[in-house]
């Protein structure tokens, strides 16, 4: 009898342990799925909210009339223009992750309605991540310039070259650079310098000053192979200052 009672107790303990493990597995799965859903929503929704907020912040304001606007992606947003050009009425309207399509969509609200004296445009590198062809990117850049020329004929437009990249700075650099290729960037920059459509703009070739002997973005000028560091922005500011002044 005692043996049977002992066996029953052991069996019940095993059943309770199994039930506990099942409940624990279910709870862990539910929590994990919840965390994954939250992260996915955060990753997909937050950038959109960030973008919308910035577009709204850069909206039309009479106090912006006659000022100098920098517009582009993270290369522009991370550029401390207010520090480098603190003696000049510069507005930085760069938004990290932006593309030529994005600039086209917000061009009227952020640029045209603000009626700037000058516009410095640097855009295109993120388009490669969206699988856009170099011809598509170039066409959009020209379209941006043409719209500004038409809507604001007195506004001076400066198109800054797309910066080169370097997938060999660090082991992870190739993942940051991703689909960007310097030969495609160089094609766009060459066409921008030629201005085959006869648009009204000044092309500023900063890219050539940032390259190493292999034609890649020099290591001393980059954070991780894509974004510029303070050394690069010092050089960029030195190049741009005469255009800011004129």
């Amino acid at each position: 009898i005692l043996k049977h009672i002992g066996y029953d107790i052991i069996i019940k303990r095993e059943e309770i342990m199994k039930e506990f493990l099942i409940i624990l597995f279910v709870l862990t799965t539910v929590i994990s799925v919840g965390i994954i859903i939250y992260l996915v929503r955060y990753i997909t929704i937050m950038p959109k909210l960030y973008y919308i907020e910035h577009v709204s912040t850069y909206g039309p304001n009479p106090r912006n009339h006659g000022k100098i606007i920098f517009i582009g992606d993270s290369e522009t947003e991370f550029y401390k223009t207010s520090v480098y050009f603190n003696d000049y009425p510069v507005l930085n309207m760069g938004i990290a992750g932006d593309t030529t399509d994005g600039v086209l969509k917000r061009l009227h609200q952020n640029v045209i309605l603000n009626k700037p004296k000058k516009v410095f445009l640097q855009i295109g590198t993120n388009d490669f991540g969206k699988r856009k062809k170099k011809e598509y990117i170039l066409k959009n850049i020209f379209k941006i310039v043409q719209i500004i020329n038409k809507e604001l004929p007195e506004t001076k437009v400066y198109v800054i070259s797309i910066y080169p990249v370097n997938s060999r700075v660090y082991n992870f650099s190739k993942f940051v650079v991703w689909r960007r290729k310097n030969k495609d960037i160089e094609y766009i920059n060459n066409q921008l310098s030629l201005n085959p459509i006869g648009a009204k703009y000044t092309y500023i070739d900063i890219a050539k000053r940032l390259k190493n002997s292999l034609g890649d973005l020099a290591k001393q000028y980059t954070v991780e192979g894509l974004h510029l560091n303070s050394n690069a922005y010092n050089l960029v500011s030195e190049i741009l200052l005469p255009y800011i002044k004129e």
Side-chain angles (χ1 to χ4, degrees), residues 67-135:
K67 293 188 176 182
I68 300 169
I69 288 179
F70 276 72
I71 190 166
D73 47 44
S74 58
E75 300 285 23
T76 299
E77 183 179 1
F78 300 161
Y79 185 14
K80 298 177 181 179
T81 52
S82 60
V83 175
Y84 286 107
F85 308 117
N86 62 327
D87 292 332
Y88 302 90
V90 172
L91 300 172
N92 190 321
M93 295 188 177
I95 302 180
D98 209 357
T99 62
T100 56
D101 285 324
V103 170
L104 277 169
K105 289 178 182 177
R106 66 187 179 100
L107 190 63
H108 184 73
Q109 182 176 355
N110 291 167
V111 176
I112 305 303
L113 294 180
N114 277 311
K115 300 178 181 179
K117 179 181 180 182
K118 298 178 181 179
V119 174
F120 286 82
L121 172 69
Q122 207 274 350
I123 194 69
T125 191
N126 291 322
D127 288 59
F128 293 111
K130 304 288 185 182
R131 297 183 182 277
K132 301 299 183 183
K133 301 294 185 182
K134 58 184 182 293
E135 293 83 5

Side-chain angles (χ1 to χ4, degrees), residues 1-14:
I1 296 173
L2 291 174
K3 283 186 177 180
H4 286 300
I5 292 173
Y7 288 141
D8 288 342
I9 292 173
I10 293 172
I11 291 171
K12 285 182 180 179
R13 282 180 179 175
E14 290 179 349

Side-chain angles (χ1 to χ4, degrees), residues 3 57 63 72 116 120 141 145 148 158 180 184 189 211:
K3 283 186 177 180
T57 301
R63 289 180 295 180
F120 286 82
I141 294 174
V145 174
I148 298 174
Y158 302 85
R180 300 170 180 86
D184 293 331
N189 288 340
K211 294 179 181 179

Side-chain angles (χ1 to χ4, degrees), residues 137-177:
I137 300 170
L138 181 65
K139 182 180 179 181
N140 271 0
I141 294 174
F142 282 145
K143 190 182 296 185
I144 293 167
V145 174
Q146 288 175 317
I147 291 173
I148 298 174
N149 287 168
K150 180 181 179 181
E151 300 295 329
L152 301 171
E154 300 302 316
T155 297
K156 291 185 178 180
V157 181
Y158 302 85
V159 178
I160 300 171
S161 56
I162 299 176
Y163 301 141
V165 295
N166 190 337
S167 61
R168 292 171 287 192
V169 176
Y170 301 107
N171 291 333
F172 63 86
S173 293
K174 61 183 178 181
F175 300 107
V176 178
V177 171

Side-chain angles (χ1 to χ4, degrees), residues 193-222:
S193 68
L194 294 172
N195 189 8
I197 65 169
K200 184 182 174 185
Y201 68 86
T202 298
Y203 174 68
I204 306 175
D205 189 2
I206 295 178
K208 66 181 180 182
R209 299 282 299 275
L210 298 173
K211 294 179 181 179
N212 60 20
S213 59
L214 298 175
D216 298 327
L217 178 59
K219 187 174 182 178
Q220 68 264 32
Y221 290 137
T222 182

